[in-house]
Amino acid sequence: MLFLALTDEKGRLVWISAAWPGRSSEITTARHNKLIEHLRVAGLGALGDLGFIGLDDDPSNPVLLTGYKAARTKALTRARKEANKLIARERAACEHAFSHLKSWRILTKLRLDARHATTLLRALLVLTKHEVAR
């Protein structure tokens, strides 16, 4: 099962996408959910991992920042390595939110239709928000 989630800068879950079969890619799921368009309309930006390289279609006004991948024949420059470190540092809070969501053991054993899994994910989002608010 694959799903996307957005967090705020403090690592609190804000949004969870619908569940997709695990064979789907992150970038395809983001395109289907029109993630970039929704972020642009809301005036928000996001940091993404390397699975989202190429998703943002407007390089002059990026909404989604990702790191850089090294090519097989050419290593990353010092500046690009530093940019990757800065992005990773800022994404750490997001990764904590994902690990907290994955701590719900039901997600590891889930073998459901994507429609039912989406309902469960949305319920976990509500429970996670309630737990964090305490």
Side-chain angles (χ1 to χ4, degrees):
M1 176 175 66
L2 174 83
F3 61 92
L4 303 176
L6 291 175
T7 66
D8 64 5
E9 66 278 355
K10 293 186 179 182
R12 294 178 296 228
L13 285 168
V14 177
W15 173 80
I16 292 181
S17 73
W20 283 72
R23 66 182 178 270
S24 303
S25 69
E26 292 175 333
I27 198 165
T28 302
T29 305
R31 283 184 179 134
H32 179 76
N33 284 298
K34 297 180 172 67
L35 185 62
I36 295 299
E37 291 86 358
H38 290 300
L39 288 171
R40 193 164 277 131
V41 167
L44 299 173
L47 296 174
D49 63 14
L50 296 181
F52 294 102
I53 289 179
L55 179 63
D56 200 348
D57 55 355
D58 187 5
S60 63
N61 183 19
V63 173
L64 179 70
L65 297 177
T66 59
Y68 297 96
K69 282 185 186 178
R72 281 190 293 182
T73 58
K74 190 175 180 185
L76 289 177
T77 64
R78 185 176 298 165
R80 288 189 173 198
K81 284 182 183 179
E82 190 63 31
N84 281 352
K85 285 181 187 177
L86 291 171
I87 290 171
R89 188 178 308 142
E90 293 301 317
R91 286 188 61 244
C94 299
E95 294 300 327
H96 289 293
F98 283 106
S99 67
H100 181 74
L101 186 62
K102 289 177 182 178
S103 72
W104 295 90
R105 287 191 182 184
I106 192 164
L107 291 178
T108 62
K109 298 179 181 184
L110 198 59
R111 303 292 180 262
L112 290 175
D113 181 62
R115 184 175 34 126
H116 299 300
T118 299
T119 304
L120 178 65
L121 284 170
R122 301 278 161 79
L124 289 178
L125 174 65
V126 171
L127 289 172
T128 303
K129 283 184 175 185
H130 177 72
E131 187 177 76
V132 169
R134 287 194 284 151

